[in-house]
Amino acid sequence: MADELKRRAVHASGAGLVALYLLAAQFDLGLTWDRFQLLMGLLAAGTIALEFLRLQVGLELSLYDPLTREYEQDQFAGYGYYMVSMTAAVLFFEPRVALPAMLMLAIGDPISGTVSDDSLKFVKGPKVLVTMFVVSTLIAVPFLHERPLAVLAAAVGATVADGVKLRLGEYIVDDNLTIPIYAGLLATLVLEFGPV
């Protein structure tokens, strides 16, 4: 239980990246979107390098304890997917879409996890789905309030990614990879093609 709480805290700490960008923009500290994209790319590359060292070289660090679950010992870990998907959101979506998509992963996912029974269902229970949808909607409103349908689209994307397991053959895709991408993609589609 203590390890799970540590993982949730590490998960939520990703909100600090969004806060860093917003504070830097607010106080004109020179962290442009291009520079933020570069920073995220470097963080993702560092994470991939850590996973390579862990999986291929056998590097054991105490850092890995709060970041990995037992079933991830021999495979790319969820925190790696987390950084890759956050970076993908920053690289492929505009800030008003990417930032809430990142927060849906950093904050929404651990909150929905607290109401989950951790069963391996294909679709999570209604309580988990509603929790994720409500939290994601609240996260999206400050960024997309002028386009309410985009708010709802982002929340639906995050909820589906969190609540419905995506299986590719024998492999189940980690929701740390899909939450920001689904949220960002649906919001972008509505912004581009939906009614104003």
Side-chain angles (χ1 to χ4, degrees):
M1 184 59 150
D3 284 344
E4 193 57 36
L5 289 174
K6 285 180 192 174
R7 275 189 283 276
R8 291 192 200 283
V10 169
H11 220 287
S13 71
L17 293 166
V18 175
L20 172 68
Y21 174 76
L22 291 174
L23 287 170
Q26 178 68 31
F27 296 106
D28 198 22
L29 300 177
L31 184 59
T32 63
W33 188 248
D34 288 343
R35 290 177 180 164
F36 188 59
Q37 289 175 316
L38 177 61
L39 171 64
M40 292 300 297
L42 292 172
L43 290 172
T47 301
I48 292 167
L50 273 175
E51 278 298 275
F52 175 81
L53 291 172
R54 181 177 73 88
L55 295 170
Q56 301 300 320
V57 179
L59 180 65
E60 289 295 328
L61 297 172
S62 59
L63 165 74
Y64 291 123
D65 294 338
L67 295 178
T68 58
R69 292 185 166 95
E70 190 167 327
Y71 67 84
E72 296 172 323
Q73 296 308 309
D74 299 319
Q75 64 185 35
F76 196 76
Y79 82 93
Y81 291 120
Y82 180 98
M83 280 310 304
V84 167
S85 69
M86 282 206 167
T87 301
V90 169
L91 293 176
F92 296 113
F93 304 124
E94 61 181 291
R96 66 177 172 163
V97 172
L99 297 172
M102 293 169 71
L103 290 173
M104 289 172 194
L105 175 58
I107 297 171
D109 189 31
I111 289 175
S112 78
T114 62
V115 299
S116 175
D117 61 6
D118 287 329
S119 64
L120 298 174
K121 299 175 187 170
F122 175 69
V123 178
K124 293 181 180 176
K127 183 167 63 169
V128 178
L129 298 174
V130 169
T131 299
M132 185 63 175
F133 180 77
V134 169
V135 171
S136 296
T137 299
L138 293 173
I139 287 169
V141 165
F143 297 92
L144 294 164
H145 59 88
E146 294 176 354
R147 300 290 296 274
L149 286 179
V151 169
L152 295 177
V156 166
T159 302
V160 169
D162 180 59
V164 181
K165 291 192 185 319
L166 174 61
R167 183 185 295 272
L168 298 175
E170 294 299 309
Y171 181 73
I172 295 176
V173 179
D174 194 306
D175 66 0
N176 285 340
L177 182 62
T178 55
I179 289 172
I181 293 170
Y182 284 19
L185 187 58
L186 288 184
T188 298
L189 288 172
V190 169
L191 290 171
E192 288 294 319
F193 304 110
V196 177

